[in-house]
Amino acid sequence: MTPTLGTVTGHFDSAADRLRLTDVQRTLLLGSEREVRVRFSINVGTGSALFEGYRVQHNGARGPFKGGMRFHPSVDLEETRALAALMTWKTALVDIPFGGAKGGVSCDPGRLSERQLEQLTRQLTARLVDFIGPTRDIPAPDVNTNARVMAWMMDEYSKFHGYTPAVVTGKPLDLGGSPVREAATAAGLVHVLEAALSAEGRRLRGCTAVVQGFGNVGSWTARLLHERGARVLAVADADGAIGRSTGLDVPALVSHLGAGGAIADFPGGERISREQPERTPCDVFVPAALGGLVTPEVAERLGCRLLVEGANGPVMPAADEVLRQRGIEVIPDILANAGGVVASYFEWVRNLQHVSWSEAELDAQLRERMLAAFRAVHGRARTEGTTLRQAAYELALSRVLTAVRLRGQID
Ligand code: NAD
């Protein structure tokens, strides 16, 4: 499940109400600037198969559109619109000069050979070639797309426009990719979490945490929490869950999975039900799996004091209210998981300027951006007496509105 347009609209509406936006401003900021739908076929061995792809460019007032390209059977225009809007608010909130976009192809990449996947990527790119580009729209990896797919996209685009690495981010290192992209979303999340704890006079070292989802965001988050002295009491993925009351040895768990093991078979912990991590009393719960998994029922039984949204839209709107009533603070997705797009921004700048930075420099810059965004959101929430999510949306919307106005797109 991914966030629906309804979820995004709900958060948008309450921010728009408090900012007293006019109807025209609301319509302009919520709707997509451009929606491209493409159809093409590739040869799948038994003949030609048709595919439909989308690129939704939500708002480009603050810079070129930016967002992932996903290959998944659930991809449709409605989902793509919601995810594109989230990117607009995220890029505005962390103050990088991009707008928001998302795209994808409705397909099951597990049923395609490497060669078919390449054909699909090239066909998609050729049809989008007039709409993307380093100053127009810069795709990135998303669900089921990776550095390899980005390399094909870059190559196809470069056939039309000459060598253009800055047309996509998340490329392989040898094509101008970033050494910090893989861990960047989790690194950004942990920087923000440390700042949130520090605002309450607390430290991450010694805190207890539970992580739901053990893919890119979840596994890196667990690793970084462990490295910084937090105890990871339980983790879950789609197949099972594991817990240990004194804290899991996360590097050992990562090695176990790397060697082909399953979470539930990890010898360094107790196999538990998939619901148990949610109930585990802890300081921090990080949903880093899919959208919509924290329903109102889950919110009622969560054992944490603070919830940090690693996934996009993991908390359903009705669950948000339950968490508020239970006094569980939520660090919203558009702040908590923005580290990935910040790292993509560094990659784009590096490609445009033909310069490179060390990993340490990139980490320091990522931290600085994430902390600046946290301070802005936290400060506003405290001054206005709102939740962090409300403050984050208000800040993001007002920044986009300012850009729209300055560009003369609206009175
Ligand atoms: P991923 O596919 O690498 O990992 C997803 C994980 O969730 C897997 O371990 C899967 O087994 C697990 N999972 C699925 N259903 C589950 C369930 N019901 N209970 C527990 N675990 C379950 O994906 P990812 O790249 O880590 O992204 C995760 C989320 O973070 C998505 O919402 C994505 O949109 C968001 N996000 C990712 C990035 C990034 O840089 N990868 C950046 C921003 C936001």
Side-chain angles (χ1 to χ4, degrees):
M1 242 174 116
T2 46
T4 61
L5 201 55
T7 314
V8 178
T9 309
H11 300 320
F12 173 91
D13 278 343
S14 55
D17 286 348
R18 278 185 33 102
L19 293 172
R20 297 179 199 280
L21 298 195
T22 64
D23 286 347
V24 176
Q25 289 169 337
R26 284 169 191 254
T27 308
L28 189 86
L29 290 188
L30 192 57
S32 315
E33 241 174 85
R34 182 185 286 133
E35 297 178 349
V36 184
R37 184 199 295 247
V38 298
R39 191 169 287 141
F40 54 86
S41 73
I42 64 165
N43 191 319
V44 289
T46 49
S48 295
L50 270 182
F51 292 89
E52 190 158 281
Y54 313 96
R55 187 70 182 169
V56 173
Q57 299 176 332
H58 174 255
N59 188 296
R62 301 184 79 257
F65 300 100
K66 184 87 190 87
M69 276 289 191
R70 74 173 50 179
F71 292 169
H72 193 273
S74 74
V75 168
D76 62 19
L77 197 51
E78 180 82 356
E79 176 194 273
T80 311
R81 281 182 184 136
L83 291 166
L86 267 186
M87 287 304 297
T88 298
W89 315 134
K90 203 178 287 187
T91 51
L93 190 62
V94 288
D95 203 10
I96 52 177
F98 287 136
K102 205 74 170 191
V105 177
S106 171
C107 65
D108 183 353
R111 301 172 71 123
L112 298 174
S113 68
E114 170 103 344
R115 191 154 164 68
Q116 290 162 352
L117 209 55
E118 178 176 350
Q119 270 185 41
L120 182 140
T121 306
R122 288 187 183 279
Q123 292 276 1
L124 172 72
T125 310
R127 277 158 185 78
L128 291 178
V129 83
D130 292 334
F131 301 99
I132 60 175
T135 59
R136 292 186 178 186
D137 183 351
I138 305 128
D142 201 87
V143 176
N144 294 328
T145 55
N146 54 20
R148 187 90 191 90
V149 172
M150 292 304 114
W152 291 326
M153 286 195 89
M154 185 201 101
D155 185 66
E156 193 62 28
Y157 182 86
S158 297
K159 284 181 189 166
F160 295 84
H161 294 284
Y163 182 63
T164 320
V167 65
V168 289
T169 57
K171 295 177 291 294
L173 268 181
D174 289 328
L175 290 177
S178 165
V180 300
R181 177 62 187 88
E182 201 196 331
T185 302
L189 184 152
V190 172
H191 289 318
V192 166
L193 169 60
E194 280 184 314
L197 291 169
S198 156
E200 294 173 5
R202 303 174 59 211
R203 291 176 350 139
L204 185 53
R205 179 163 295 281
C207 274
T208 52
V210 167
V211 180
Q212 181 194 48
F214 211 70
N216 173 283
V217 181
S219 68
W220 275 106
T221 299
R223 272 196 246 191
L224 296 175
L225 291 174
H226 179 83
E227 260 175 35
R228 285 169 169 69
R231 279 187 293 137
V232 179
L233 302 183
V235 302
D237 72 1
D239 300 322
I242 191 96
R244 188 164 181 239
S245 58
T246 52
L248 292 161
D249 179 346
V250 179
L253 173 60
V254 170
S255 306
H256 168 79
L257 292 174
I263 280 211
D265 303 336
F266 179 56
E270 257 176 61
R271 181 190 291 222
I272 53 180
S273 73
R274 272 246 307 277
E275 289 71 42
Q276 190 56 37
E278 296 157 6
R279 300 176 196 276
T280 304
C282 61
D283 295 306
V284 185
F285 179 72
V286 184
L290 307 179
L293 288 183
V294 181
T295 59
E297 298 72 41
V298 172
E300 287 289 359
R301 59 176 183 255
L302 277 176
C304 61
R305 300 174 45 194
L306 174 64
L307 184 150
V308 191
E309 294 188 327
N312 282 321
V315 175
M316 294 176 78
D320 230 5
E321 182 52 26
V322 174
L323 295 174
R324 201 185 59 74
Q325 283 169 11
R326 292 191 58 210
I328 298 176
E329 190 153 43
V330 176
I331 304 186
D333 47 8
I334 57 171
L335 173 62
N337 70 27
V341 75
V342 173
S344 284
Y345 163 60
F346 299 151
E347 181 178 334
W348 176 74
V349 171
R350 181 205 148 156
N351 296 156
L352 288 178
Q353 300 188 342
H354 307 283
V355 293
S356 63
W357 295 301
S358 71
E359 224 172 298
E361 282 169 318
L362 289 168
D363 267 336
Q365 289 193 40
L366 174 67
R367 182 168 184 276
E368 204 176 296
R369 293 260 168 191
M370 296 304 294
L371 293 189
F374 174 78
R375 281 193 293 271
V377 172
H378 187 258
R380 186 178 183 108
R382 291 295 170 269
T383 316
E384 302 283 323
T386 67
T387 61
L388 294 174
R389 191 189 309 280
Q390 178 77 24
Y393 266 80
E394 287 176 18
L395 265 173
L397 255 71
S398 45
R399 284 180 184 166
V400 177
L401 183 61
T402 300
V404 168
R405 275 192 174 136
L406 285 171
R407 290 181 63 164
Q409 295 172 351
I410 200 169
D411 295 331

